[in-house]
Amino acid sequence: MQKIKLVLEDGSEKEFESGINALDIARDTGKELNNAIAIKLDGSILDLSAPIKKDGGIKFLTTGDKEGLSVLRHSTSHVMAAAVKELFPDVKVAIGPSIEEGFYYDFDKAEPFVPEDIEKIEAKMKEIINSNAPFVRKVLSKEEAIEFFTKKGEPYKVEIIKELPAETVSLYETGNFIDLCTGPHIPSTKKIKVYKLLNVAGAYWRGDEKKKMLQRIYGTAFNTREELKEFLTRREEAQKRDHRKLGKELDLY
């Protein structure tokens, strides 16, 4: 069996069998994984369950790390999309990345989302989170993935896959929801503690005004309710400043 050498967080170097994952490394080294959600191997962020096949420095990421928080938010966007699909099965899903202060997901829905819909989505997200659903990575050939999403009636996923240069693509399954995604993701939904959906806005597919207008739901996720409260306060103050500035420019005040 081929061996790899990894530099651990304490600076020590240890040899492992190629293909070992972070969960096995933690068991081997006695590291507690209560707060870990992903790993960083040199410059790459990986799932805790991802096989490691090359030498490098390894760091366990938590939501206290900027990169770890980004992983958490990306996973929360998947949970939001899963909730939307359960509540509105006819909705088509587009993309849902993490962004600087949270995440979003774009949806193709015939009728506009209303505030009552957002409340229902948040409640359904809570159900999914409490189910402790794992994020399971699957790899399919491009042809298999195109066939899979065509059968599911997801044209936006099919369009993306057709343009990918690789011969295989990765999908992540969370409960009943399967999404095209390179990852990485948190181990399971129970890692999501504090989240909130913020607003809905229009967004052209791929930012092209000649393409269809989709509905973008913005949200955010944090480690604690205190952090969320501070964020919402900052956001409210920023909106007030923008309104005051706009009022002056329009000579309303």
Side-chain angles (χ1 to χ4, degrees):
M1 179 67 74
Q2 185 180 352
K3 298 289 185 177
I4 58 172
K5 291 182 179 180
L6 297 176
V7 179
L8 306 180
E9 292 175 277
D10 62 4
S12 63
E13 185 178 280
K14 192 164 183 176
E15 195 173 73
F16 299 94
E17 289 186 356
S18 177
I20 193 171
N21 63 41
L23 299 171
D24 292 330
I25 292 172
R27 280 191 287 268
D28 188 77
T29 59
K31 180 177 177 61
E32 293 290 335
L33 281 181
N34 292 337
N35 298 318
I37 59 169
I39 60 165
K40 186 174 185 179
L41 178 65
D42 293 336
S44 301
I45 314 299
L46 306 172
D47 297 324
L48 289 177
S49 59
I52 302 171
K53 299 180 179 180
K54 66 175 184 178
D55 299 344
I58 186 173
K59 177 185 178 183
F60 287 83
L61 297 176
T62 72
T63 53
D65 302 300
K66 183 177 181 180
E67 292 155 316
L69 185 58
S70 179
V71 171
L72 176 78
R73 288 169 168 170
H74 185 192
S75 298
T76 309
S77 80
H78 275 231
V79 171
M80 178 176 70
V84 169
K85 285 295 289 185
E86 284 198 36
L87 292 168
F88 310 99
D90 293 336
V91 165
K92 310 302 180 187
V93 293
I95 58 173
S98 63
I99 53 178
E100 182 64 29
E101 293 189 310
F103 59 86
Y104 69 79
Y105 211 112
D106 290 344
F107 302 99
D108 184 351
K109 183 174 179 291
E111 300 296 328
F113 286 109
V114 296
E116 291 77 14
D117 293 335
I118 301 303
E119 292 176 6
K120 291 177 183 177
I121 294 167
E122 283 191 328
K124 181 60 69 173
M125 288 174 68
K126 185 176 182 179
E127 289 181 20
I128 297 170
I129 291 167
N130 289 341
S131 74
N132 193 20
F135 283 81
V136 181
R137 187 174 186 268
K138 300 176 181 294
V139 177
L140 299 179
S141 68
K142 280 184 68 173
E143 293 74 16
E144 289 172 329
I146 289 170
E147 181 182 2
F148 175 79
F149 283 108
T150 298
K151 287 181 177 178
K152 288 183 72 69
E154 297 291 357
Y156 299 100
K157 301 299 180 184
V158 172
E159 181 179 329
I160 293 171
I161 295 168
K162 286 181 177 179
E163 296 177 0
L164 295 175
E167 292 303 312
T168 61
V169 297
S170 60
L171 286 66
Y172 278 82
E173 182 176 10
T174 317
N176 297 322
F177 181 67
I178 302 180
D179 204 0
L180 175 70
C181 186
T182 58
H185 282 285
I186 58 180
S188 72
T189 56
K190 73 174 183 179
K191 293 288 186 180
I192 302 170
K193 304 299 183 183
V194 181
Y195 64 94
K196 185 173 180 58
L197 302 186
L198 302 170
N199 62 285
V200 182
Y204 290 109
W205 170 233
R206 294 190 156 181
D208 186 344
E209 63 182 13
K210 295 180 181 179
K211 296 184 182 294
K212 190 165 186 177
M213 173 73 78
L214 306 178
Q215 296 184 66
R216 176 172 295 178
I217 301 180
Y218 286 95
T220 193
F222 285 95
N223 297 303
T224 66
R225 295 195 178 280
E226 290 72 22
E227 289 174 319
L228 174 61
K229 185 177 180 180
E230 290 174 5
F231 165 77
L232 293 175
T233 299
R234 291 197 308 271
R235 188 169 180 267
E236 185 179 353
E237 289 300 318
Q239 289 174 341
K240 287 179 180 177
R241 287 194 297 272
D242 287 344
H243 290 157
R244 286 195 292 268
K245 180 181 178 182
L246 180 60
K248 291 179 179 178
E249 289 175 349
L250 297 178
D251 198 24
L252 295 177
Y253 306 135

